[in-house]
């Protein structure tokens, strides 16, 4: 069943209003990883509720408890927005997931515009934190409902919305809620659609049937009771930063090879058929170069590069808390430093089988330093990898919708990023999960100058709406 022409026309006619609505969403700095923005994250949930209720969606803000901070204090977790639209037993029920929190962003990181003011340029790019990850897609679902309500068009499916506010910080509290509501809110759901990842390039739409998991670590080295003067105490005491830098340098080579023994043995073996799949995807090394803005790809072998993103683990060093990083030349020996790194997990890795290997390796390496400082290794948050069977009516409907809107067959991809809840939806609810992305590979999610192209926002809105119509008639 094609999406009614009136719907497509409505989306085109309301482009400016839809952009303005995305602008209102971007203006709420809902940074889940920054305690000082927690109220903004909570306000974002209220904003969504106020948009959904006038459209006839029954909304409940589900309290999921408190988050413990490193200093022992507690912060309220942002509520999960549950929404119900339609209860017709003759229609399929589609569960739509998106997240309303965003990564941190400061102008001083290198943004050309204020990250929390949606700023269009003359090429139709909409710059702003969360524009592509994941406020654009979330607002698109609301635009779709609005179009149907205003046009008096009946939706061909029942909908359940599950919008969370902690995805960028490990989705704390969400798994427990899903387990509790398995036979309640989620009972009638037939499949899941998540719009929270990206095409591989700027040309070819894709459907995604896998995400990597993640284990995020904090490596704490401490020694002196306070910060020290390097002139007085350099070459006199064991320096935490020196120990930490050495340990962090032992995790991964500049070629991306992970140095922790045993991790490679956990990775599911590669078959010839699988390797061939990477060779046929519409992807060129220049796509990566364009996305990162430099010619720094690890290999000339296209399949090797794609597998590095989609089916092999990666280890990235993110930062050092407690280190001197400001302008000037402060001659300090920091007393306590925390190195942050994460490992993207692939089948058959899990935080449970990876953690002991990481912890043992780091303690063994630390022992070799014969330092009198102390080391603590902590897993801050984690999630398992996930893969779905794309031979399912959920994917067939999305393929048909993509061909109708973009006049192109979508690529079938695996996502390098992580969306922890995918596996929970699949395992706990026993549902097929589809990732149907809106944005492009060069959107700069998590980066400075994150953007969503107006074209992707508008055509993506048509795609998601068309998918709802196709799914109603696809077996
Ligand atoms: C792919 C998704 N849009 C995303 O960005 N996920 C994050 C999830 C995360 C986990 N810890 C911190 N963030 C990601 O892949 O980094
Ligand atoms: Zn996201
Ligand atoms: Zn993200």
């Amino acid at each position: 069943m094609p999406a009614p022409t009136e719907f497509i026309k409505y989306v085109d006619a309301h482009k400016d209003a839809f952009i303005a609505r995305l602008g209102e969403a971007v203006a709420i700095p809902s940074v889940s990883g920054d305690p000082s923005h927690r109220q903004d994250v909570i306000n974002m949930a209220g904003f969504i509720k106020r948009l959904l209720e006038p459209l006839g969606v029954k909304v409940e803000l589900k309290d999921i408890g408190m988050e413990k901070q490193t200093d022992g204090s507690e912060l309220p977790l942002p509520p999960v927005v549950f929404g119900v639209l339609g209860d017709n037993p003759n229609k399929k029920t589609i569960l739509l997931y998106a997240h309303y929190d965003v990564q941190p962003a400061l102008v001083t990181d290198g943004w050309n515009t204020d990250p929390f003011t949606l700023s269009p340029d003359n090429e139709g790019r909409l710059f702003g934190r969360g524009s592509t990850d994941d406020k654009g897609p979330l607002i698109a679902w609301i635009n779709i409902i609005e179009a149907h309500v205003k046009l008096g068009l009946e939706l061909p499916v029942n909908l359940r919305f599950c919008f969370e506010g902690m995805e960028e910080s490990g989705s704390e509290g969400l798994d427990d809620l899903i387990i509790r509501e398995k036979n309640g809110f989620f009972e009638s759901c037939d499949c899941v659609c998540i719009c929270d990842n990206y095409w591989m390039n700027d040309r070819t739409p894709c459907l995604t049937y896998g995400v990597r998991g993640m284990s995020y670590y904090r490596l704490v080295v401490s020694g002196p009771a306070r910060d020290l003067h390097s002139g007085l105490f350099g070459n006199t005491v064991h320096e935490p930063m020196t120990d930490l830098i050495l340990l962090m340098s032992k995790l991964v080579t500049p070629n991306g090879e992970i140095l922790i023994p045993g991790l490679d043995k956990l990775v599911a073996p590669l078959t010839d058929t699988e390797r061939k799949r990477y060779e046929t995807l519409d992807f060129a090394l220049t796509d990566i170069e364009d996305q990162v803005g430099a010619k720094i790809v690890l290999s000339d072998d296209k399949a090797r590069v794609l597998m590095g993103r989609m089916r092999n683990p990666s280890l990235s060093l993110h930062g050092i808390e407690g280190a001197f990083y400001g302008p000037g030349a402060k001659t300090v020996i920091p007393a306590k430093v925390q190195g942050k790194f994460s490992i993207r997990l692939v089948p058959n890795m899990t935080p449970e089988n990876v953690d002991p290997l990481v912890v043992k390796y780091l303690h063994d390496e630390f022992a070799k330093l014969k330092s009198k400082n102390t080391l603590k290794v902590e897993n801050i948050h984690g999630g398992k990898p996930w893969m779905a069977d794309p031979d399912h009516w959920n994917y067939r409907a999305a393929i048909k919708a993509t061909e109708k809107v973009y006049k192109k067959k979508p690529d079938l991809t695996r996502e390098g990023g992580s969306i922890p809840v995918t596996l929970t939806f699949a395992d706990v609810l026993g549902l097929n999960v589809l990732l149907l992305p809106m944005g492009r590979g060069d959107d700069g999610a998590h980066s400075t100058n994150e953007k969503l192209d107006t074209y992707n926002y508008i055509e993506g809105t048509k795609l998601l709406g068309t998918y709802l119509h196709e799914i109603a008639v696809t077996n």
Side-chain angles (χ1 to χ4, degrees):
M1 189 198 296
T5 344
E6 306 99 283
F7 165 71
I8 302 291
K9 282 190 184 151
Y10 186 97
V11 175
D12 281 327
H14 289 78
K15 185 174 89 178
D16 292 344
F18 290 172
I19 292 174
R21 182 174 286 157
L22 178 56
E24 285 179 54
V26 166
I28 303 173
S30 50
V31 181
S32 57
D34 179 347
S36 72
H37 279 298
R38 186 53 54 90
Q39 190 53 47
D40 293 312
V41 190
I42 295 169
N43 292 347
M44 185 70 202
F47 171 78
I48 296 167
K49 184 175 185 312
R50 285 193 297 280
L51 288 177
L52 285 172
E53 278 182 338
L55 300 173
V57 180
K58 266 184 265 149
V59 180
E60 207 183 332
L61 299 185
K62 297 296 284 190
D63 179 6
I64 49 169
M66 305 294 283
E67 182 191 28
K68 231 197 178 83
Q69 305 296 293
T70 37
D71 63 2
S73 64
E74 289 194 327
L75 270 181
L77 284 163
V80 174
V81 181
F82 272 0
V84 175
L85 186 61
D87 243 329
N88 184 336
N90 299 318
K91 292 179 181 177
K92 286 180 185 144
T93 300
I94 318 300
L95 172 61
L96 306 176
Y97 164 91
H99 63 90
Y100 62 81
D101 61 321
V102 295
Q103 288 277 324
L106 299 171
V107 178
T108 50
D109 293 338
W111 283 74
N112 298 327
T113 55
D114 171 15
F116 297 106
T117 303
L118 190 71
S119 307
D121 72 358
N122 50 20
E123 288 173 43
R125 294 178 296 188
L126 306 167
F127 291 92
R129 176 55 91 222
S131 52
T132 193
D133 183 13
D134 188 31
K135 290 181 173 176
L138 190 154
I139 296 296
W141 288 120
I142 298 175
N143 298 339
I144 292 163
I145 312 305
E146 179 200 271
H148 283 78
V149 170
K150 291 278 164 67
L151 293 167
L153 283 173
E154 186 181 335
L155 272 167
V157 288
N158 304 313
L159 295 176
R160 299 289 176 271
F161 302 92
C162 175
F163 296 153
E164 72 156 316
M166 281 299 282
E167 196 270 351
E168 299 292 11
S169 302
S171 290
E172 196 172 333
L174 184 59
D175 279 2
D176 290 344
L177 178 69
I178 295 171
I179 293 166
R180 279 201 304 280
E181 292 287 342
K182 176 176 157 61
N183 299 316
F185 176 77
F186 296 104
E187 173 139 50
S188 59
C189 296
D190 294 305
C191 69
V192 185
C193 178
I194 297 179
C195 184
D196 181 25
N197 68 308
Y198 324 97
W199 300 353
M200 277 189 303
N201 47 44
D202 58 3
R203 323 176 272 285
T204 307
C206 61
L207 314 185
T208 304
Y209 63 96
V211 295
R212 295 198 289 187
M214 104 125 54
S215 268
Y216 200 113
Y217 297 95
R218 172 169 44 222
L219 194 55
V220 189
V221 184
S222 51
R226 62 196 69 85
D227 286 358
L228 303 175
H229 186 309
S230 65
L232 302 183
F233 298 104
N235 199 11
T236 308
V237 298
H238 289 283
E239 298 192 19
M241 184 84 133
T242 313
D243 294 351
L244 180 73
I245 297 279
L246 204 119
L247 286 180
M248 289 183 86
S249 76
K250 301 257 174 193
L251 291 167
V252 63
T253 70
N255 284 329
E257 187 196 343
I258 301 176
L259 296 171
I260 301 164
L263 280 197
D264 51 342
K265 298 198 178 56
L266 299 173
V267 178
L270 174 71
T271 61
D272 280 350
T273 333
E274 193 193 340
R275 188 181 164 98
K276 284 203 185 83
R277 248 182 261 149
Y278 299 106
E279 280 158 6
T280 57
L281 291 174
D282 176 21
F283 170 83
L285 295 175
T286 47
D287 290 327
I288 297 272
E289 290 172 351
D290 291 347
Q291 287 163 26
V292 303
K295 294 186 187 306
I296 52 170
V297 189
L298 281 177
S299 161
D300 290 340
D301 176 352
K302 166 181 156 178
R304 144 77 179 92
V305 173
L306 277 181
M307 289 192 292
R309 174 186 283 188
M310 294 185 185
R311 70 97 55 211
N312 287 330
S314 61
L315 189 154
S316 300
L317 306 178
H318 301 300
I320 298 180
E321 198 176 321
F324 165 60
Y325 67 92
K330 187 176 178 190
T331 51
V332 67
I333 298 173
K336 176 180 171 184
V337 279
Q338 306 185 35
K340 311 273 180 78
F341 69 95
S342 71
I343 305 177
R344 298 285 173 170
L345 311 180
V346 296
N348 303 313
M349 302 166 94
T350 62
E352 291 72 29
N353 63 24
V354 165
D355 278 1
L357 299 175
V358 173
V359 173
K360 177 179 180 332
Y361 175 67
L362 283 167
H363 279 288
D364 287 352
E365 290 301 314
F366 186 63
K368 289 183 196 166
L369 304 184
K370 304 209 180 316
S371 169
K372 291 181 184 165
N373 290 322
T374 53
L375 168 72
K376 211 162 62 175
V377 186
E378 290 170 344
N379 182 325
I380 312 181
H381 64 248
K384 291 179 186 161
W386 156 86
M387 284 234 287
D389 177 8
D391 186 13
H392 188 278
W393 48 262
N394 197 12
Y395 282 74
R396 286 195 282 280
I399 292 171
K400 283 196 264 169
T402 308
E403 287 172 343
K404 284 193 170 141
V405 172
Y406 287 109
K407 318 279 177 255
K408 232 178 169 181
K409 204 174 167 49
D411 267 331
L412 270 180
T413 65
R414 285 167 63 177
E415 165 65 36
S418 313
I419 308 172
V421 76
T422 43
L423 186 79
T424 317
F425 284 144
D427 279 5
V428 174
L429 305 182
L431 300 175
N432 178 273
V433 183
L434 158 78
L435 264 58
L436 182 53
M438 168 177 278
R440 304 179 185 179
D442 65 352
D443 281 355
H446 293 204
S447 181
T448 48
N449 303 312
E450 174 182 348
K451 59 90 178 159
L452 175 64
D453 291 79
T454 302
Y455 175 79
N456 283 60
Y457 182 41
I458 297 304
E459 297 310 300
T461 303
K462 293 178 192 168
L463 170 70
L464 298 178
T466 303
Y467 156 78
L468 297 181
H469 285 269
E470 291 299 335
I471 207 162
V473 292
T474 305
N475 294 306

